[in-house]
Amino acid sequence: MASNKRHFAEEDDDPHSFSKKSKESESESDASPSSLRVFLNPADCDLDFHIDGNGHVGYGLHEEGFAYCWSGARANVGITRGRYCFACKVVSAQTVNMQDTAPEQQHICRLGISRGDNAVGNLGESRQSFGYGGTGKFSNCGRFLDFGDKFGVGDTIVCCVDLDLESRPLASIGFSKNGKWLGAATQFDAARLGVVDSPPGNLQWTSALFPHVLLKNVVVQMQFSVKDGLVPEDGFKPWASAMEDGNIVMGPSFSEPRDCEVIMMVGLPASGKTTWAEKWVKDHPEKRYVLLGTNSILDQMKVPGLLRRNNYGERFDLLMDRATRIFNILLSRAANIPRNYIIDQTNVYKSARKRKLEPFADYQKIAVVVFPKPDELKIRSDKRFTEMGKEVPPDAVNKMIANYVLPKSKDMPRSDEFFDQVMFVELNRGESQKYLDQMKQNLAYISSNNSSTLPPGGSFESFAGSNLPNKRSFTVVFTSLALILPSLHPTMGCLVKLVRLMQMGV
């Protein structure tokens, strides 16, 4: 595929341009329907998704690890009824180096529709989203079925949505390629999807279907009106016409940074941070949190239809290295794009917390500490290894424990952190500090006895603390025996080695 040469305005390469566009989208939201226009919504896209060309050109970052990531965006206008269409032209392919990826998986466009509360990175992988991809697959609920033709650079795909519920019991979605009608891809019950009447309040987008694109290393140009170059299919109006017909729901717009919040998760590996964060996101849809962490980035790297756990194993170290570099770039962009964020990492180092939060000066900053008892931490670590094959090296965990400082809010005595609030969602601060002190003491004792290498899980097992005196007594006795037994008989040396291995848990 040909490489793309971008000739877009310089300000669009500046993350601050998102704030400028937010003002435009807010002012247009308050305008009359006749003055509104449809564009890719900078307030409803992945952080690595770039919007240019007056809101009609879209592409994701593609340097280094971003080449492996899907990047999605929705339009700012959704529909609740009627028969409308929009188009997507694949303009060019981005130059990438992906020798470990099949060529047909390196440059892909998927387009379709989704309900406004769906994750922008999951087009076609949820019940409320439908997508047609360049590999010739149509997907819904994560099921990928053969449909139509493959498509790529130079092709224009028109997506047609029929929500005229008065003429038929079911809604439908169909596509055409370069003017050739490919047919209806599926029918669906719009009422069961919640696409009926708009609910009150700020969650109206949950009742509408929006144009949606999901990209990997391609540049696309969207067409929502005849003025944009759209050639409507017979029986379907341009998407922009829905505004004059009064069949629209507007998507979300940006807030001011002072009205946004950053939640920073704090806790050891496998403590339950991601589980808590994902539930918090689900329980607070009105906040539209962006979850920032290596787990969510690994999700973006997925191959269609595969679970994330299949990406662990031999490729885990390589993937994590890429994910960490991507995370650092996304975090730097996030501070200039006013949304609600959850930073899902261990964040046990106070210096790292301060460094990450410093750019978010105008945001509300909340620390959420997940600190289970050490024996429960061991259970969760074992479960994660069993289910996902993921294990953090014990030496790395020990280093985290040694440097772990519980966060303080800025109004607490002798606090030099930025948090407006600190929440302890399992053990309270006093209990957490007690166990943390005990873990540090146990770690210091182990280190002083030259047991620097622990078996998997040993970090957690040895921090319960209840049997520490017994361990100390055993070490004294064992050290004495180790000096005496080999001199009594040569075979005793082998026994000493065996007991030492048992002591280490090997």
Side-chain angles (χ1 to χ4, degrees):
M1 289 184 171
S3 63
N4 64 298
K5 296 182 182 295
R6 301 198 301 269
H7 301 284
F8 307 121
E10 290 295 330
E11 77 164 22
D12 289 317
D13 290 328
D14 177 6
H16 291 280
S17 64
F18 281 88
S19 297
K20 299 172 186 175
K21 290 173 183 173
S22 71
K23 301 299 183 183
E24 297 173 6
S25 62
E26 285 176 356
S27 62
E28 289 183 343
S29 296
D30 296 331
S32 63
S34 60
S35 64
L36 289 174
R37 64 184 184 88
V38 188
F39 52 84
L40 291 174
N41 191 351
D44 197 13
C45 64
D46 281 315
L47 284 180
D48 59 322
F49 196 97
H50 239 61
I51 300 174
D52 290 319
N54 204 25
H56 291 161
V57 174
Y59 55 92
L61 301 182
H62 66 284
E63 294 81 3
E64 298 185 7
F66 283 102
Y68 295 87
C69 293
W70 289 88
S71 188
R74 265 189 293 265
N76 65 320
V77 174
I79 63 171
T80 57
R81 61 182 65 85
R83 306 176 84 231
Y84 302 99
C85 65
F86 66 95
C88 172
K89 181 177 181 179
V90 185
V91 177
S92 59
Q94 297 167 311
T95 302
V96 294
N97 181 12
M98 302 173 67
Q99 297 180 358
D100 56 348
T101 303
E104 62 270 17
Q105 293 292 338
Q106 294 183 14
H107 305 275
I108 310 176
C109 168
R110 190 187 304 168
L111 77 152
I113 55 173
S114 66
R115 209 172 69 179
D117 57 337
N118 264 225
V120 289
N122 286 344
L123 176 62
E125 298 183 42
S126 65
R127 188 172 68 89
Q128 300 92 357
S129 67
F130 307 85
Y132 170 37
T135 57
K137 302 283 186 180
F138 175 80
S139 59
N140 170 243
C141 293
R143 296 173 56 220
F144 291 78
L145 304 174
D146 291 336
F147 172 80
D149 303 324
K150 295 181 180 181
F151 65 89
V153 173
D155 293 325
T156 299
I157 307 298
V158 177
C159 176
C160 301
V161 182
D162 185 353
L163 288 182
D164 189 358
L165 303 183
E166 296 180 357
S167 61
R168 62 178 66 192
L170 294 176
S172 67
I173 177 173
F175 299 88
S176 70
K177 174 186 173 183
N178 299 330
K180 174 187 174 183
W181 179 244
L182 301 177
T186 192
Q187 292 184 324
F188 58 93
D189 189 333
R192 289 187 61 187
L193 289 187
V195 183
V196 193
D197 296 321
S198 301
N202 60 349
L203 296 180
Q204 296 186 11
W205 51 75
T206 65
S207 67
L209 294 175
F210 292 77
H212 192 156
V213 289
L214 186 64
L215 311 177
K216 182 185 280 189
N217 307 320
V218 294
V219 179
V220 299
Q221 184 166 9
M222 306 302 295
Q223 301 170 358
F224 300 110
S225 68
V226 173
K227 183 179 179 180
D228 301 334
L230 174 65
V231 179
E233 291 295 323
D234 291 341
F236 293 88
K237 295 181 179 181
W239 200 268
S241 298
M243 294 184 290
E244 297 177 1
D245 297 342
N247 294 332
I248 67 166
V249 165
M250 298 304 298
S253 59
F254 285 131
S255 302
E256 292 293 331
R258 65 175 178 270
D259 298 322
C260 299
E261 62 187 33
V262 177
I263 294 177
M264 176 172 280
M265 306 304 300
V266 179
L268 291 170
S271 58
K273 301 182 300 299
T274 299
T275 300
W276 186 93
E278 290 177 346
K279 184 178 186 301
W280 189 262
V281 171
K282 183 178 179 180
D283 292 345
H284 299 83
E286 74 283 358
K287 294 282 190 176
R288 300 183 67 86
Y289 286 104
V290 177
L291 192 59
L292 286 174
T294 50
N295 279 339
S296 57
I297 292 169
L298 288 173
D299 276 339
Q300 279 188 269
M301 292 181 177
K302 64 183 175 295
V303 175
L306 295 183
L307 296 176
R308 189 179 69 231
R309 62 171 177 245
N310 292 335
N311 281 336
Y312 287 115
E314 294 181 359
R315 299 181 64 204
F316 175 70
D317 289 341
L318 176 60
L319 288 169
M320 283 300 296
D321 181 61
R322 289 172 179 163
T324 300
R325 293 200 301 268
I326 291 171
F327 170 84
N328 291 332
I329 294 174
L330 292 182
L331 187 64
S332 66
R333 291 171 64 88
N336 297 307
I337 304 173
R339 301 190 198 176
N340 295 313
Y341 296 100
I342 299 181
I343 303 176
D344 182 23
Q345 289 185 307
T346 55
N347 298 311
V348 296
Y349 288 73
K350 182 168 73 170
S351 58
R353 294 196 295 259
K354 295 175 67 175
R355 172 178 54 81
K356 293 174 187 177
L357 288 179
E358 189 171 6
F360 295 90
D362 296 328
Y363 288 65
Q364 291 293 308
K365 292 169 281 291
I366 303 167
V368 173
V369 183
V370 184
F371 204 115
K373 292 182 179 180
D375 54 351
E376 175 62 24
L377 183 61
K378 175 63 168 59
I379 292 172
R380 294 178 186 180
S381 178
D382 291 343
K383 181 180 179 183
R384 183 173 70 169
F385 178 77
T386 300
E387 294 179 352
M388 305 179 69
K390 183 179 179 182
E391 182 180 62
V392 179
D395 285 347
V397 177
N398 292 343
K399 188 176 181 181
M400 292 181 196
I401 293 170
N403 293 277
Y404 194 165
V405 177
L406 294 178
K408 293 182 178 181
S409 59
K410 60 187 179 183
D411 59 351
M412 293 181 66
R414 297 184 296 278
S415 174
D416 59 349
E417 297 204 61
F418 302 132
F419 295 111
D420 299 287
Q421 180 184 359
V422 178
M423 298 168 54
F424 286 79
V425 296
E426 289 213 25
L427 300 180
N428 60 32
R429 177 180 290 277
E431 292 174 314
S432 298
Q433 190 66 60
K434 180 186 71 173
Y435 280 108
L436 179 58
D437 291 342
Q438 188 178 68
M439 294 164 78
K440 289 176 181 285
Q441 292 171 5
N442 290 357
L443 180 61
Y445 173 75
I446 291 172
S447 299
S448 66
N449 282 274
N450 298 319
S451 297
S452 58
T453 303
L454 295 175
S459 318
F460 304 136
E461 289 176 340
S462 35
F463 297 138
S466 59
N467 59 348
L468 186 57
N470 294 333
K471 287 185 178 181
R472 185 177 293 111
S473 301
F474 175 79
T475 301
V476 173
V477 173
F478 175 75
T479 302
S480 301
L481 290 175
L483 295 173
I484 298 173
L485 290 178
S487 63
L488 296 178
H489 194 280
T491 58
M492 291 300 181
C494 297
L495 177 61
V496 170
K497 292 180 180 179
L498 177 61
V499 175
R500 180 177 284 116
L501 291 174
M502 293 174 62
Q503 180 192 21
M504 293 174 62
V506 177

mmCIF file of all heavy atoms in Angstrom, residues 322-340:
data_model
loop_
_atom_site.group_PDB
_atom_site.id
_atom_site.type_symbol
_atom_site.label_atom_id
_atom_site.label_comp_id
_atom_site.label_asym_id
_atom_site.label_seq_id
_atom_site.Cartn_x
_atom_site.Cartn_y
_atom_site.Cartn_z
ATOM 1 N N ARG A 322 6.341 -2.198 24.599
ATOM 2 C CA ARG A 322 5.626 -1.312 23.680
ATOM 3 C C ARG A 322 4.515 -0.573 24.405
ATOM 4 O O ARG A 322 4.311 0.633 24.214
ATOM 5 C CB ARG A 322 5.040 -2.122 22.532
ATOM 6 C CG ARG A 322 6.066 -2.660 21.542
ATOM 7 C CD ARG A 322 5.406 -3.604 20.568
ATOM 8 N NE ARG A 322 6.341 -4.126 19.583
ATOM 9 C CZ ARG A 322 6.106 -5.195 18.830
ATOM 10 N NH1 ARG A 322 4.955 -5.846 18.970
ATOM 11 N NH2 ARG A 322 7.004 -5.614 17.959
ATOM 12 N N ALA A 323 3.759 -1.306 25.238
ATOM 13 C CA ALA A 323 2.626 -0.701 25.940
ATOM 14 C C ALA A 323 3.079 0.407 26.877
ATOM 15 O O ALA A 323 2.406 1.433 27.018
ATOM 16 C CB ALA A 323 1.852 -1.769 26.704
ATOM 17 N N THR A 324 4.226 0.221 27.528
ATOM 18 C CA THR A 324 4.724 1.236 28.453
ATOM 19 C C THR A 324 5.108 2.510 27.713
ATOM 20 O O THR A 324 4.806 3.628 28.161
ATOM 21 C CB THR A 324 5.940 0.695 29.229
ATOM 22 O OG1 THR A 324 5.539 -0.462 29.971
ATOM 23 C CG2 THR A 324 6.478 1.737 30.200
ATOM 24 N N ARG A 325 5.755 2.368 26.554
ATOM 25 C CA ARG A 325 6.109 3.558 25.763
ATOM 26 C C ARG A 325 4.846 4.279 25.282
ATOM 27 O O ARG A 325 4.775 5.509 25.288
ATOM 28 C CB ARG A 325 6.988 3.164 24.583
ATOM 29 C CG ARG A 325 8.362 2.642 24.971
ATOM 30 C CD ARG A 325 9.347 2.736 23.809
ATOM 31 N NE ARG A 325 8.901 1.980 22.661
ATOM 32 C CZ ARG A 325 9.226 0.717 22.412
ATOM 33 N NH1 ARG A 325 9.973 0.041 23.283
ATOM 34 N NH2 ARG A 325 8.806 0.100 21.317
ATOM 35 N N ILE A 326 3.858 3.497 24.858
ATOM 36 C CA ILE A 326 2.595 4.094 24.415
ATOM 37 C C ILE A 326 1.915 4.826 25.564
ATOM 38 O O ILE A 326 1.402 5.942 25.402
ATOM 39 C CB ILE A 326 1.673 3.009 23.837
ATOM 40 C CG1 ILE A 326 2.237 2.490 22.507
ATOM 41 C CG2 ILE A 326 0.257 3.540 23.634
ATOM 42 C CD1 ILE A 326 1.510 1.276 21.973
ATOM 43 N N PHE A 327 1.921 4.206 26.739
ATOM 44 C CA PHE A 327 1.285 4.832 27.904
ATOM 45 C C PHE A 327 1.881 6.204 28.186
ATOM 46 O O PHE A 327 1.151 7.172 28.447
ATOM 47 C CB PHE A 327 1.435 3.937 29.133
ATOM 48 C CG PHE A 327 1.033 4.604 30.416
ATOM 49 C CD1 PHE A 327 -0.299 4.629 30.806
ATOM 50 C CD2 PHE A 327 1.967 5.241 31.224
ATOM 51 C CE1 PHE A 327 -0.687 5.263 31.976
ATOM 52 C CE2 PHE A 327 1.593 5.869 32.393
ATOM 53 C CZ PHE A 327 0.264 5.877 32.767
ATOM 54 N N ASN A 328 3.193 6.304 28.156
ATOM 55 C CA ASN A 328 3.847 7.582 28.464
ATOM 56 C C ASN A 328 3.431 8.671 27.475
ATOM 57 O O ASN A 328 3.236 9.828 27.858
ATOM 58 C CB ASN A 328 5.368 7.396 28.455
ATOM 59 C CG ASN A 328 5.851 6.547 29.618
ATOM 60 O OD1 ASN A 328 5.220 6.517 30.680
ATOM 61 N ND2 ASN A 328 6.958 5.845 29.429
ATOM 62 N N ILE A 329 3.283 8.314 26.205
ATOM 63 C CA ILE A 329 2.857 9.294 25.204
ATOM 64 C C ILE A 329 1.399 9.696 25.438
ATOM 65 O O ILE A 329 1.048 10.881 25.395
ATOM 66 C CB ILE A 329 3.039 8.721 23.787
ATOM 67 C CG1 ILE A 329 4.529 8.511 23.491
ATOM 68 C CG2 ILE A 329 2.422 9.652 22.739
ATOM 69 C CD1 ILE A 329 4.812 7.809 22.181
ATOM 70 N N LEU A 330 0.540 8.705 25.700
ATOM 71 C CA LEU A 330 -0.873 9.008 25.929
ATOM 72 C C LEU A 330 -1.067 9.875 27.169
ATOM 73 O O LEU A 330 -1.914 10.769 27.187
ATOM 74 C CB LEU A 330 -1.668 7.715 26.065
ATOM 75 C CG LEU A 330 -1.799 6.853 24.807
ATOM 76 C CD1 LEU A 330 -2.662 5.630 25.093
ATOM 77 C CD2 LEU A 330 -2.385 7.649 23.651
ATOM 78 N N LEU A 331 -0.278 9.610 28.210
ATOM 79 C CA LEU A 331 -0.406 10.407 29.428
ATOM 80 C C LEU A 331 -0.044 11.858 29.161
ATOM 81 O O LEU A 331 -0.713 12.776 29.666
ATOM 82 C CB LEU A 331 0.494 9.828 30.524
ATOM 83 C CG LEU A 331 0.350 10.466 31.909
ATOM 84 C CD1 LEU A 331 -1.053 10.217 32.460
ATOM 85 C CD2 LEU A 331 1.399 9.918 32.868
ATOM 86 N N SER A 332 0.979 12.090 28.342
ATOM 87 C CA SER A 332 1.364 13.467 28.028
ATOM 88 C C SER A 332 0.287 14.164 27.195
ATOM 89 O O SER A 332 0.055 15.375 27.338
ATOM 90 C CB SER A 332 2.707 13.486 27.292
ATOM 91 O OG SER A 332 2.603 12.875 26.016
ATOM 92 N N ARG A 333 -0.409 13.418 26.325
ATOM 93 C CA ARG A 333 -1.491 14.000 25.535
ATOM 94 C C ARG A 333 -2.725 14.265 26.404
ATOM 95 O O ARG A 333 -3.449 15.241 26.200
ATOM 96 C CB ARG A 333 -1.867 13.067 24.382
ATOM 97 C CG ARG A 333 -0.809 12.958 23.300
ATOM 98 C CD ARG A 333 -1.143 11.856 22.298
ATOM 99 N NE ARG A 333 -2.359 12.102 21.544
ATOM 100 C CZ ARG A 333 -2.429 12.770 20.409
ATOM 101 N NH1 ARG A 333 -1.311 13.295 19.901
ATOM 102 N NH2 ARG A 333 -3.566 12.931 19.770
ATOM 103 N N ALA A 334 -2.957 13.380 27.369
ATOM 104 C CA ALA A 334 -4.177 13.463 28.172
ATOM 105 C C ALA A 334 -4.284 14.781 28.927
ATOM 106 O O ALA A 334 -5.378 15.339 29.077
ATOM 107 C CB ALA A 334 -4.232 12.286 29.150
ATOM 108 N N ALA A 335 -3.164 15.278 29.412
ATOM 109 C CA ALA A 335 -3.212 16.510 30.210
ATOM 110 C C ALA A 335 -3.740 17.692 29.409
ATOM 111 O O ALA A 335 -4.210 18.676 29.988
ATOM 112 C CB ALA A 335 -1.814 16.820 30.749
ATOM 113 N N ASN A 336 -3.673 17.610 28.070
ATOM 114 C CA ASN A 336 -4.143 18.702 27.213
ATOM 115 C C ASN A 336 -5.509 18.432 26.600
ATOM 116 O O ASN A 336 -5.975 19.213 25.775
ATOM 117 C CB ASN A 336 -3.118 18.942 26.099
ATOM 118 C CG ASN A 336 -1.775 19.386 26.633
ATOM 119 O OD1 ASN A 336 -1.692 20.345 27.387
ATOM 120 N ND2 ASN A 336 -0.714 18.680 26.255
ATOM 121 N N ILE A 337 -6.128 17.318 26.973
ATOM 122 C CA ILE A 337 -7.441 16.960 26.424
ATOM 123 C C ILE A 337 -8.393 16.782 27.601
ATOM 124 O O ILE A 337 -8.337 15.774 28.302
ATOM 125 C CB ILE A 337 -7.354 15.667 25.595
ATOM 126 C CG1 ILE A 337 -6.307 15.818 24.486
ATOM 127 C CG2 ILE A 337 -8.706 15.327 24.986
ATOM 128 C CD1 ILE A 337 -6.032 14.547 23.716
ATOM 129 N N PRO A 338 -9.240 17.745 27.878
ATOM 130 C CA PRO A 338 -10.029 17.745 29.116
ATOM 131 C C PRO A 338 -11.110 16.661 29.161
ATOM 132 O O PRO A 338 -12.216 16.834 28.644
ATOM 133 C CB PRO A 338 -10.641 19.151 29.144
ATOM 134 C CG PRO A 338 -10.664 19.576 27.708
ATOM 135 C CD PRO A 338 -9.481 18.950 27.060
ATOM 136 N N ARG A 339 -10.773 15.544 29.786
ATOM 137 C CA ARG A 339 -11.711 14.460 30.042
ATOM 138 C C ARG A 339 -11.471 13.944 31.454
ATOM 139 O O ARG A 339 -10.563 14.410 32.149
ATOM 140 C CB ARG A 339 -11.516 13.320 29.046
ATOM 141 C CG ARG A 339 -11.685 13.692 27.581
ATOM 142 C CD ARG A 339 -11.718 12.441 26.728
ATOM 143 N NE ARG A 339 -11.459 12.730 25.325
ATOM 144 C CZ ARG A 339 -11.351 11.812 24.375
ATOM 145 N NH1 ARG A 339 -11.484 10.534 24.693
ATOM 146 N NH2 ARG A 339 -11.117 12.140 23.130
ATOM 147 N N ASN A 340 -12.247 12.967 31.863
ATOM 148 C CA ASN A 340 -12.023 12.304 33.146
ATOM 149 C C ASN A 340 -11.155 11.070 32.920
ATOM 150 O O ASN A 340 -11.450 10.249 32.051
ATOM 151 C CB ASN A 340 -13.351 11.906 33.786
ATOM 152 C CG ASN A 340 -14.196 13.104 34.157
ATOM 153 O OD1 ASN A 340 -13.708 14.055 34.753
ATOM 154 N ND2 ASN A 340 -15.471 13.070 33.805
#
